[in-house]
Amino acid sequence: MPVAVCAPALLAALLAGAPAGHAGDDLVVYSGRAERFVQPALDAFQAESGIAAQVLTADSTALINRLHAEGARTAADVLITNDAGSLERARELGLLRAHAFPGLETAIPARFRAPDNSWIGLSGRLWVIVYNTALADPGALLSILDLGEPAWNGRIAIPAAGSVYLQTGVSVIRAVMGDAATTRFLRGVKRNAGSFVFEKNRQIVAAVARGDVAAGLVNHYYIHRHLAQHPDAPIALRMTDQGERGMGLILNAAGVGITAHVKREHLAAAQALVKFLTAPEGQLLFAHANKEYPLNPLVPAAPGLPPLDHVRIADVRLDRLADLRDPTMTVIETVGLR
Amino acid sequence: MALVLMLPLGYVVVAAATTDLAVWRRLWTTRIPELLLNTLSLSAGVAVVDLILGVSLAWIVTRYRFPGSGIWDWLLMLPLAIPSYVLASAYTHILHRDGTAAHLWRLVAGPDASVFSPFSFAGAVLVLALNTFPFVYLLARSAFQRFNVAFEETARATGAGRLAVFFRVSLPVIRPSLMAGLFLATLYVASDFGAVSLLRFQTFTHAVYQQMTGRFDNAAASCLSLVLVGCAGVFVFGERRFRRQSRFYQTTGRYRPPVPRPCGPAAALLLNGGLLLVFMAAFGLPGLLLIRWTVDAVAAGEVSPGFVGHMWNSLSLSGLTATAAVVCGMPLAYAATRRRTWAGTLCAQGAYTGYVLPGPVAALAVLVVVSHLMPALHGTMLILLLACLVHLLPVALQGMESALQQVTPNLEEAARSLGARPVQSFRRVTLPLVRGGFASAWILVFVQCMKELPASLLLRPAGFDTLAVRIWLEASEELYHLAAPPALLIVVITIPVVLLWSGALAGPGRRDTRADADAADADADGADADAAGATGAPSRAPTGRRFRRSP
């Protein structure tokens, strides 16, 4: 090859030397959560402890597949995801490390942790109905399953089958209602949504706000995010499945775990980070940044969020989400959702 | 080497073969027929649009002379600098039902009219065709430029009309170049996942990505990949068969390049208008949007502080991948064009599989293979480099093989008969002639690698975010103003590279350095030698000057 072509490549290679070898002393965090909701907490942690962290942001499932493939040679010390089912799956695969520290029991309630604390929930996220206040009557929406009724034909928007939130939500419905009712619900939802199937929750909220559809299924904070930008948008959150015999709201949690193959010299720092994220300061930065519910009961929900104190939550343990997920995917695909 | 490159394919085959039959049955009843139809019709639709756009633009630019014709020559290459996912998000914005296009259209067609939705077959064809037509345009243009006008003149002299000459002489003669362009475009469409996932159009690659990010086991993803690779294998095989059957060498020493015809002012206006329309659709409008979003981001002080680092990561990864692809591709391309042994052919065919293997699967396969065979590479940039190499080597091979094919073997044989060793003859006869082709291969890999997404997403070491990764992370949160600065930077960095490529492809006749003049001599002499060889006359030694200089 001519020198003219090789030279820039070699130059680039030399220049690459510095960033390519990531700093060996930094904590390495694999994160399935958007960087802008993780970085503020990590910056605060660095300011407090002097420990810096390198973040690798990617899709949660892809990160777990990667951790699995990397095995003992992984660079990751800490795993953060937005889905407790993914964390539990990582635990089942032996990718996380059990640990405990004084004060954990009071910081995060047991139902938001793995039994051996190999992962710890940090913030709660509800899968709810968003509706257009001009187009939908909230009184007609007592249960999330109502969206499968013929009355909603052509009037709802739903997430794509690849959405972890959809998978979690359907898993919870299956666990409570059984396969037959779930299949009926999904068939109805597929018909009612038509082509209003979106990859992004934000698109669903926008479609509801524009009036393209009357209602949609989203994580709660997308509604608040939209209202923060468009305070006059005619949308509202509907809390369904309440009452004596209601299923309860579907709650998932973002959480954190220390990897099984954490570098020995990083273990103390990784534990310090987990402790920081469960403490009030970390909870505020982690959960409030995205209008999620802090799971530490000492930390209040962000202003504007409906309080969860007297709200019924579906009684499906977070650590069951992992096992529920594959059969749920099969049901979703059999129905033919995309 | 080729074996290493075929490992990902082996991984997919093994993973798919060990998959439960129930998974296959479920996929067959729920996904495969739809995906097959979508993928094939999208590829075909894009190919048709590419062909029409590419050939007509190349014809206009090479055969007509009008004010501005020189600028279009290179402006039409710029769409290659825009990543497909950036173009797709620009069009979802432009064709938004409350967007400017919709408002303008309503003024024309009444208040109830609506623009067509980008989230459709037509939308996917539009975006991907606007993104890939330069492949066909570039190769058609350089073929038209190298075209020996004597062919057309002969046809005209024997009474054929202009249209008949175009369809029965000009087009058939540049057929290998058109096929090469369409080949690149089609593989690009089949392996694209950024644009189709943004436009919610279900193709195999999109479905594989969904399966991989939605499930913990990759069985279903591997099955779908295998079907895709099977289709692509048939396509690659067909293309090579076609190419073997239609191999053209310039057969006369009396080569004359085409002379562009001058146009009147009305025709010039029309041509400029048409070219401007295509250019704005494929590059101008999305470029302006990127600039606007970037200005918004800068004004709001939201540009990421790690920006310069991301830029260096992208540049170094692309530079290394391109260099590695050309170095590794050289023996493979040579084996495929000159030594027609089954092993050589298999090597070259095998390398092509990396391109059609969906990016995420290629990356995962490399990861698994590396962790078993070369664990030391873990968490380093080398593993990412390897995945990019596996994925993009076919791009280099395609260009290098075309270049090698245009050098008649007689030249090398002549050098050998004058006492040059094989290595010597390659270095001193073949290499100078194919240098342009090899440089363009390097550049093409570089550009593709700048835009590469799935492998970088899955394999980058922590702290090694590239520009493309940053765009994806921000765009998947729909924070377009944050995604715009790195997107604009990719476009800006890629533009000179694309233009350099056009220079490399423009052929020997367009440059005037001493070495190129030599190469041009050799080209003409080689053509003579070929013709002479065919008629049984003694061949002349090529580029006598060069050989006289050395003992």
Side-chain angles (χ1 to χ4, degrees), chain A residues 5-25:
Chain A
V5 171
C6 287
L10 291 175
L11 191 67
L14 289 175
L15 289 165
H22 55 77
D25 292 341

Side-chain angles (χ1 to χ4, degrees), chain A residues 35 57 66 197 202 333, chain B residues 26 200 458 460 470 478:
Chain A
E35 194 179 285
T57 304
R66 175 173 169 161
V197 180
R202 210 192 83 150
E333 279 181 12
Chain B
R26 175 168 55 80
R200 306 203 300 272
L458 290 165
R460 74 208 138 106
R470 297 309 303 181
E478 302 216 334

